[in-house]
Amino acid sequence: MMPNQYENEADLDAHQANPPVVKDAAANNMEIPRVVIHLPAWLNQFQSLSRGFKLALMSVALAGTVGVSVYVATMLPDDISSKTPQLNAAKTYKGLGAPAFGEAPPAGVVLDPALGNLADLVDPLSKSDIPFYLHIPRSGGLTVQRILGQCFGLVQTSDIATKMGNEGQTLEIIHSPSVGSMVNVDTYSPDGIARARVKGLTSSGLAGSIASPNLYEASSLFATDHRGRMYLMIRHPVERAVSHFHYIQKAAWDPNFSPLLKSISISDYVGSAEDRPEYNYLTKLLSNNVNKDSSELTLGDLNIAKEVLRRKSIVGLLNAKHKSLTRFRTYFGWSEPAKTEECENALSLWIDKNDYPTITEKDTVYHKFVEKNKFDMDLYTFAVKLFSEQGLLVASMASP
């Protein structure tokens, strides 16, 4: 859990919070606040110095500090953001008071009550808690589910039962050749989630992990006596966007598919003024703004997304697959994976097999994607920090 810089600060004393007021007879008895200067405690050690001399010392120190700040500011390049994509991303907030890139959300961020039945990360685990995998598209989600099903032996949910034509009126466990054991429900569509809730999916005890790409809708499946424990795999926003581009060019079954995309270049694709569905996808999803245009996102939306990750999520990173899977297993107390060659390779040699050219920071297209995904770039930087900090938390859980 990220440390909260606003907690445990001493309150201002009454004298500072309410400076005394004096009457000025020459000003028609108007009340004028009197400036009260509190000297640092360390100056009191010099009892032989007068108060005036102490104030003079403070003035000199303050002037020196301001001078250094001005000097440093003049030495920085005028457009430092053009040289550093992370700093450049902060420009998207257009004067909204954005913090430094990747900083923790401020204290007091309020989450939607719809997430109330998702347990906080630091809440003690209960046997009735159910792992909830938030499936982020183009982020290794299907591979994660295959490993969880075939190697960890978990009974899961997705939309596979519906695709197989096996979603029935009563709950039962079916077998998927690609994933393994599944409950015959659809937790990927709003209508399917509603049906699964009516059937009592979470109280049935059949599912060892519930998966869905719809955070707020799927949260309705859980209850105070069957809380959800969210975990997810996050991919670098540029890698995810590039993967989506090559996918959507041939995915005629996808609602966002257009025949025009078959012949468009990646440079023209990202160069368009259109806000693509995958741009800032994670910020939109976590802040419950999936239908917003990126231009409508605010710093408040970003802070909500960060708070959801900080408070409600075990974060996995696609570029740290093995460590992420091990962390999930440790946190949830899953059994050791099956000792098969397939599972050993899946856990240790999971390699992305892309049939398209890799985009790097040396490519102009890369920086165009950064520009289009500024909110998600900020969120990803924060997620990387969380991943490091949560490692300490999970390691302490594994200790005897």
Side-chain angles (χ1 to χ4, degrees):
M1 185 175 183
M2 295 284 291
N4 191 330
Q5 62 177 328
Y6 298 97
E7 292 178 352
N8 300 321
E9 293 184 354
D11 295 330
L12 291 174
D13 58 47
H15 194 65
Q16 286 177 291
N18 302 289
V21 177
V22 296
K23 298 282 187 175
D24 187 348
N28 297 319
N29 292 326
M30 180 183 295
E31 293 188 348
I32 302 176
R34 187 173 67 198
V35 176
V36 178
I37 300 177
H38 291 268
L39 297 179
W42 58 267
L43 274 176
N44 293 328
Q45 299 176 18
F46 303 96
Q47 298 180 1
S48 61
L49 299 180
S50 67
R51 180 177 177 83
F53 189 72
K54 293 176 183 178
L55 288 172
L57 284 176
M58 289 180 62
S59 300
V60 172
L62 178 61
T65 301
V66 173
V68 171
S69 300
V70 172
Y71 174 77
V72 171
T74 58
M75 294 300 290
L76 292 174
D78 291 335
D79 189 16
I80 189 172
S81 61
S82 64
K83 298 177 175 58
T84 310
Q86 290 187 347
L87 293 178
N88 186 44
K91 284 186 174 181
T92 194
Y93 310 133
K94 299 179 181 179
L96 292 176
F101 208 59
E103 280 195 355
V109 175
V110 178
L111 299 183
D112 193 313
L115 303 181
N117 287 327
L118 293 181
D120 284 3
L121 183 66
V122 296
D123 288 345
L125 272 76
S126 169
K127 291 183 178 180
S128 62
D129 291 345
I130 304 172
F132 167 50
Y133 180 59
L134 182 62
H135 185 167
I136 309 301
R138 317 311 305 166
S139 301
L142 291 178
T143 304
V144 169
Q145 289 179 294
R146 179 173 62 84
I147 292 173
L148 296 183
Q150 296 185 358
C151 299
F152 288 90
L154 292 179
V155 178
Q156 303 176 83
T157 75
S158 68
D159 59 348
I160 290 180
T162 300
K163 292 178 179 178
M164 294 173 60
N166 288 334
E167 185 184 352
Q169 295 299 317
T170 58
L171 297 177
E172 60 181 314
I173 297 177
I174 60 175
H175 181 75
S176 162
S178 61
V179 177
S181 297
M182 309 288 294
V183 183
N184 63 333
V185 292
D186 173 12
T187 51
Y188 272 46
S189 70
D191 289 344
I193 291 171
R195 292 193 298 270
R197 185 173 62 249
V198 171
K199 294 175 186 177
L201 171 64
T202 53
S203 60
S204 71
L206 293 177
S209 179
I210 293 175
S212 180
N214 298 307
L215 170 60
Y216 287 83
E217 292 87 345
S219 295
S220 68
L221 291 169
F222 304 100
T224 54
D225 56 346
H226 293 94
R227 301 179 303 176
R229 289 271 177 180
M230 189 167 87
Y231 64 110
L232 75 170
M233 193 74 81
I234 300 178
R235 190 176 190 177
H236 189 287
V238 174
E239 294 177 2
R240 205 188 72 81
V242 171
S243 175
H244 180 87
F245 165 74
H246 290 286
Y247 158 79
I248 203 65
Q249 281 192 311
K250 54 189 177 184
W253 58 88
D254 192 287
N256 295 311
F257 172 78
S258 168
L260 298 176
L261 295 175
K262 287 186 176 181
S263 58
I264 192 173
S265 70
I266 192 169
S267 179
D268 290 339
Y269 180 83
V270 72
S272 168
E274 181 181 354
D275 183 58
R276 310 288 185 182
E278 73 273 18
Y279 292 168
N280 298 300
Y281 175 85
L282 191 56
T283 301
K284 294 174 183 177
L285 174 65
L286 296 180
S287 65
N288 201 17
N289 288 297
V290 291
N291 295 320
K292 264 191 179 182
D293 189 273
S294 289
S295 64
E296 300 174 310
L297 290 174
T298 67
L299 181 59
D301 295 328
L302 176 64
N303 284 331
I304 289 174
K306 288 181 176 180
E307 185 68 5
V308 171
L309 288 184
R310 184 190 72 83
R311 192 190 307 176
K312 300 288 186 180
S313 316
I314 280 286
V315 173
L317 299 177
L318 193 62
N319 66 357
K321 310 175 187 72
H322 184 268
K323 184 180 291 186
S324 298
L325 288 169
T326 301
R327 184 170 298 177
F328 296 157
R329 181 181 67 81
T330 301
Y331 181 78
F332 291 114
W334 293 332
S335 302
E336 290 281 348
K339 300 297 183 181
T340 64
E341 182 178 354
E342 181 182 4
C343 289
E344 291 291 340
N345 291 337
L347 292 173
S348 60
L349 300 176
W350 178 8
I351 301 174
D352 296 323
K353 298 179 181 180
N354 300 324
D355 56 357
Y356 52 82
T358 301
I359 302 297
T360 70
E361 294 184 25
K362 297 179 181 180
D363 299 305
T364 301
V365 169
Y366 177 95
H367 295 283
K368 288 183 178 179
F369 274 114
V370 168
E371 184 71 17
K372 296 289 188 178
N373 289 277
K374 292 173 180 177
F375 283 90
D376 269 12
M377 286 295 295
D378 192 327
L379 184 61
Y380 180 78
T381 304
F382 176 67
V384 171
K385 295 179 181 179
L386 268 183
F387 183 76
S388 177
E389 294 182 5
Q390 289 181 356
L392 300 176
L393 171 67
V394 176
S396 67
M397 296 174 61
S399 301

